[in-house]
Amino acid sequence: DALQVLEDYLLAEAKGSDRVEVTSTFLESLKDAHPDLDLEAIFTIEKFSPGASLIKQGALSNEIFVLVEGEVNAIIGSDIQKRVVAKFLPGALLGEMAFYGASLRSADVVAVGQVRALRIDAKQIGADSDLPPDLVSSIHRLTARILSQRLERSNRLLMDAEI
């Protein structure tokens, strides 16, 4: 909990720093790219109660989620010892690592309170998609940007840990 408070504090301070680039969320970027589309009409909206799992560690990945309302925690570990490794707020993309990596889910993603999320199934953004091609392209491009930013953040954390 203390580390999470510290991270929140550091991120708030870093917004004015040259070191951290403040960008819009995945959902904001997608809406900006396609202002004429009603994403909630195109994709399934799922609702989760507090404590419910959006994603289960070790499960197959057939979809990604975009958090519309609420907060979720990514949790890793076994039943004996679980650890919150990330907190996600509205606009965040969830489940993209296993989805694009064709691997099993690496963490549980659990609703902190009431949550609403867009569910984007693999079929919807695959080669045979019925969606507008520019929307599908935007989803893939924005996901690549998010993955790149997360890798850059991990690299910075590793470099800072070595100092």
Side-chain angles (χ1 to χ4, degrees):
D1 289 340
L3 287 175
Q4 187 64 54
V5 170
L6 181 58
E7 181 180 77
D8 291 344
Y9 173 78
L10 291 173
L11 288 173
E13 272 195 352
K15 286 184 179 178
S17 167
D18 291 337
R19 183 172 179 190
V20 176
E21 179 182 339
V22 178
T23 60
S24 57
T25 67
F26 180 88
L27 185 58
E28 290 168 339
S29 296
L30 194 57
K31 285 181 176 181
D32 287 347
H34 302 279
D36 54 326
L37 296 179
D38 181 0
L39 299 175
E40 293 190 23
I42 294 171
F43 301 110
T44 303
I45 285 284
E46 292 198 12
K47 297 178 182 179
F48 300 89
S49 299
S53 292
L54 286 74
I55 294 172
K56 294 203 180 276
Q57 185 174 344
L60 294 174
S61 176
N62 296 313
E63 71 281 314
I64 53 177
F65 291 93
V66 181
L67 193 58
V68 176
E69 291 178 8
E71 179 182 322
V72 298
N73 287 332
I75 302 169
I76 60 170
S78 65
D79 289 337
I80 298 168
Q81 184 179 11
K82 292 189 178 220
R83 175 178 294 155
V84 174
V85 293
K87 172 176 66 172
F88 296 97
L89 301 173
L93 178 65
L94 308 167
E96 75 288 347
M97 287 177 27
F99 182 83
Y100 282 92
S103 59
L104 299 178
R105 303 289 194 180
S106 61
D108 290 320
V109 177
V110 178
V112 173
Q114 294 293 328
V115 166
R116 286 181 354 119
L118 292 173
R119 177 190 171 118
I120 303 174
D121 292 312
K123 292 178 188 175
Q124 291 179 293
I125 56 175
D128 297 330
S129 176
D130 292 331
L131 296 177
D134 59 329
L135 174 60
V136 174
S137 176
S138 290
I139 291 169
H140 293 305
R141 181 179 45 77
L142 291 170
T143 300
R145 185 184 78 190
I146 296 289
L147 288 168
S148 175
Q149 289 170 345
R150 289 185 184 164
L151 177 60
E152 182 179 344
R153 179 176 179 251
S154 294
N155 286 343
R156 279 193 206 137
L157 288 171
L158 286 172
M159 288 178 62
D160 288 347
E162 292 177 0
I163 293 177

